[in-house]
Amino acid sequence: MPALTLPTFPEDVPTHPLLIIDYRLISARGSHEIDRLWEAATKLGFCLKNHGVDEEVDGMFEMGAETMKLPLEEKMRFEQGDSGMSFG
């Protein structure tokens, strides 16, 4: 399979900074990181790292992969219809 190549990002499209907030520093009550979190939460937006749930997220992806490997008949036992009441 060929490598995925993406086009370059256009120079004339405005962007917005996205801060990366370190949860370990927040947990340690680092005042600078707490200030950065407040700034990001109230003005910019942010990405949280070192939050400690990586293993749980990995487990969810593994469960999803296992579910997709099931035979269609087994998956259809849990089919929720097309009424718009399914979230995910």
Side-chain angles (χ1 to χ4, degrees):
M1 185 158 114
L4 178 66
T5 57
L6 300 173
T8 57
F9 194 81
E11 296 286 329
D12 60 342
V13 175
T15 61
H16 195 70
L18 180 67
L19 294 180
I20 298 174
I21 304 299
D22 191 329
Y23 185 75
R24 274 192 213 137
L25 297 176
I26 298 291
S27 296
R29 304 204 186 282
S31 62
H32 177 68
E33 198 71 359
I34 291 170
D35 291 343
R36 292 181 72 240
L37 174 61
W38 179 256
E39 175 81 8
T42 58
K43 297 180 182 170
L44 300 173
F46 63 96
C47 176
L48 189 62
K49 72 175 190 174
N50 293 323
H51 43 66
V53 297
D54 295 328
E55 295 80 20
E56 293 179 39
V57 171
D58 290 344
M60 289 189 298
F61 278 106
E62 288 170 12
M63 182 175 62
E66 290 172 15
T67 301
M68 291 299 113
K69 290 178 186 175
L70 292 172
L72 179 60
E73 298 78 29
E74 179 68 14
K75 290 187 274 192
M76 290 305 291
R77 290 181 49 216
F78 304 97
E79 197 272 332
Q80 298 178 12
D82 296 325
S83 64
M85 300 302 289
S86 174
F87 296 102

